[in-house]
Amino acid sequence: MHSKPKILIIDDEEVVLDSCIQILGGESFQVSTALNGSDGLRLVQELQPDLVIVDLKMPGISGFEVLDRLEEIDPTIVMIVITGFATVSSAVDAMKKGAYDFLPKPFSPEEFRIIIRRGLEKRKLILETIMLRHEKELLREHFAHIVSHELKAPLNAVQQNIFALEFELSGVLNEDQKEKLVRIKVRMEDLLKIIDSWLRIISVNIEELEKNFSPIQMTTPIYKALENIETIATRKNVEIVSSFGVKLHPVWGDVLSLSEAFVNIIGNAIQYSRDGSKVIVKAEENGTDILVTIKDFGIGIPKEDLPHIFEGFFRVKSGQAAPTGHGIGLVVSRQIIEAHSGSITVESETGTGTAFYIRLPKYFIEKSNKS
Ligand SMILES: Nc1ncnc2c1ncn2[C@@H]1O[C@H](COP(=O)(O)OP(=O)(O)OP(=O)(O)O)[C@@H](O)[C@H]1O
Ligand SMILES: [Mg+2]
């Protein structure tokens, strides 16, 4: 926060304003006042205060309208309402509108100072959170840049040179040397795959994803995913049995990223199933959610491993996991599902099978007004 916190008090009673100024007197704050809502809102634009104290009962623009406008102008401003004794219930309404706290009239200087201190602490936390989020985003971008440019590009160049060398030396190398070259190539490929996995994990940008959200049918990304993995299922002779509720309530989401999540989860179900078995894919309404169940009758996941499978780069060690995976499918899927305000849970028993449950909240109109 700036060195001197800026406080704006909007109240139609001059005596209240005067006493607030007196209580806050001294050098610690930059205090401004307004006698009505419209002057107050003009000052908010001009001064960009940290904290605004609003009287709920004012002639002209009411305190409630001021709160609404303040939220629109800058949702990070901390708002505190002052109310008469008779209007404590409206103070509760004000808090529903985003006010952080309320102060019933008459109040003592000490009560006023405490509420101001708490409000400013809240403001500090809000600003710190915004800053941390921004730093995290910068770090993510920076890391993605380092991984793709500083690591991946030189490794690609090394790989190309190995290919060239192999071609130039063909016929010259003995068996032992050829084997060493093969080992170098395999290690190189593994490294590049791991780098691609890192890049995929850090490239799930929630804010970017949210820009593509619209009301969709949950079945749309599921069908897309099923199309994608049909050949893998056929190759493994796994039958996918799907059952979708008729006319499901829509969800608020992005078809492409959700279908990526379903490709991962249904893909796992196929991959970790026995040849010739079934995978069940079900979508239904469940209270305020749409619930998707993906159930297989495959190798299952040991109990002690269950808490770790969403962590990233984790693979069940008991020897039965597919040889090709990198343990990123589930972490990326969880990121995508959580970006949709949803959840993913799992139940499993070794030797019997695994069920993943994906819940996404049903979409209601207010949501689109909020966003
Ligand atoms: N349906 C399932 N049945 C049994 N084990 C599973 C199932 N789904 C996931 N797992 C276990 O969880 C681990 C993590 O899954 P995840 O999809 O993240 O990675 P992966 O399949 O190993 O590799 P990839 O990154 O290619 O998806 C897997 O290695 C596997 O051990
Ligand atoms: Mg996988």
Side-chain angles (χ1 to χ4, degrees):
M1 216 182 308
H2 359 260
S3 47
K4 258 193 195 183
K6 294 185 210 165
I7 300 172
L8 171 65
I9 309 164
I10 311 172
D11 196 312
D12 60 320
E13 289 179 73
E14 232 161 313
V15 282
V16 176
L17 294 180
D18 287 344
S19 66
C20 290
I21 291 175
Q22 265 189 4
I23 301 168
L24 299 177
E27 300 290 300
S28 320
F29 310 108
Q30 189 181 319
V31 185
S32 312
T33 57
L35 274 165
N36 57 58
S38 51
D39 283 353
L41 288 171
R42 195 179 35 75
L43 280 177
V44 168
Q45 309 258 26
E46 203 177 289
L47 302 170
Q48 296 174 330
D50 297 292
L51 189 70
V52 176
I53 297 159
V54 190
D55 182 14
L56 277 186
K57 270 207 160 161
M58 290 186 291
I61 300 180
S62 76
F64 282 113
E65 283 174 79
V66 173
L67 291 181
D68 277 342
R69 287 283 297 122
L70 273 174
E71 272 280 316
E72 281 166 27
I73 297 171
D74 181 355
T76 70
I77 294 177
V78 174
M79 310 181 288
I80 292 172
V81 295
I82 307 180
T83 63
F85 262 135
T87 55
V88 170
S89 72
S90 47
V92 175
D93 290 342
M95 309 229 356
K96 283 188 197 148
K97 277 186 180 285
Y100 172 62
D101 212 340
F102 72 96
L103 189 62
K105 279 182 195 171
F107 46 82
S108 70
E110 191 49 23
E111 282 168 337
F112 189 61
R113 270 189 223 107
I114 288 174
I115 216 156
I116 293 285
R117 200 182 315 129
R118 274 170 37 85
L120 288 174
E121 270 163 19
K122 171 77 182 168
R123 167 74 171 171
K124 201 169 147 213
L125 279 178
I126 293 173
L127 293 182
E128 274 171 9
T129 310
I130 292 172
M131 208 177 70
L132 282 174
R133 241 185 247 150
H134 182 64
E135 273 174 12
K136 190 177 152 203
E137 187 52 27
L138 281 181
L139 210 67
R140 196 182 61 77
E141 276 171 20
H142 189 57
F143 188 61
H145 177 86
I146 289 180
V147 170
S148 56
H149 294 272
E150 315 291 333
L151 264 176
K152 200 177 164 185
L155 281 176
N156 273 329
V158 173
Q159 195 184 38
Q160 290 310 314
N161 278 299
I162 294 170
F163 289 147
L165 205 63
E166 186 185 29
F167 180 73
E168 282 162 29
L169 295 177
S170 67
V172 181
L173 297 177
N174 64 33
E175 285 310 306
D176 186 44
Q177 289 165 328
K178 272 188 204 162
E179 206 176 293
K180 279 184 183 133
L181 208 56
V182 168
R183 259 183 271 147
I184 293 174
K185 279 193 328 190
V186 169
R187 284 299 175 99
M188 210 63 200
E189 236 158 71
D190 281 350
L191 251 175
L192 283 164
K193 272 190 204 154
I194 289 175
I195 290 172
D196 283 337
S197 305
W198 277 351
L199 281 173
R200 184 63 200 112
I201 290 179
I202 54 182
S203 69
V204 181
N205 183 339
I206 292 173
E207 273 157 31
E208 278 302 310
L209 267 188
E210 282 174 349
K211 283 185 195 155
N212 300 324
F213 281 12
S214 62
I216 57 162
Q217 275 295 322
M218 191 68 136
T219 43
T220 314
I222 299 179
Y223 279 127
K224 220 175 165 54
L226 290 177
E227 257 172 45
N228 236 298
I229 46 186
E230 210 181 331
T231 44
I232 308 171
T234 315
R235 210 180 306 138
K236 208 155 175 209
N237 191 23
V238 168
E239 186 194 351
I240 297 182
V241 183
S242 51
S243 84
F244 303 139
V246 261
K247 252 187 160 275
L248 292 177
H249 200 99
V251 297
W252 181 242
D254 165 51
V255 171
L256 269 187
S257 59
L258 281 175
S259 76
E260 180 183 348
F262 288 127
V263 164
N264 289 333
I265 302 159
I266 306 171
N268 280 346
I270 298 168
Q271 195 170 24
Y272 302 110
S273 274
R274 294 186 185 82
D275 278 19
S277 70
K278 279 187 177 120
V279 166
I280 294 171
V281 180
K282 204 160 95 181
E284 62 197 320
E285 303 212 347
N286 185 270
T288 55
D289 294 331
I290 298 294
L291 168 67
V292 179
T293 306
I294 294 157
K295 186 172 167 61
D296 66 62
F297 303 91
I299 58 172
I301 304 166
K303 247 190 185 53
E304 65 273 19
D305 291 329
L306 275 178
H308 306 294
I309 58 168
F310 296 106
E311 282 173 3
F313 301 106
F314 178 85
R315 312 192 57 234
V316 171
K317 304 245 165 14
S318 52
Q320 295 184 74
T324 49
H326 286 99
I328 66 144
L330 284 180
V331 69
V332 169
S333 306
R334 195 196 63 192
Q335 285 176 333
I336 292 170
I337 290 160
E338 288 180 353
H340 284 78
S341 309
S343 69
I344 173 166
T345 51
V346 60
E347 280 172 10
S348 188
E349 208 171 303
T350 5
T352 307
T354 306
F356 281 91
Y357 302 98
I358 296 104
R359 287 179 179 82
L360 250 63
K362 286 178 185 169
Y363 163 78
F364 294 102
I365 302 294
E366 312 90 79
K367 187 135 201 177
S368 69
N369 294 338
K370 247 196 254 167
S371 61

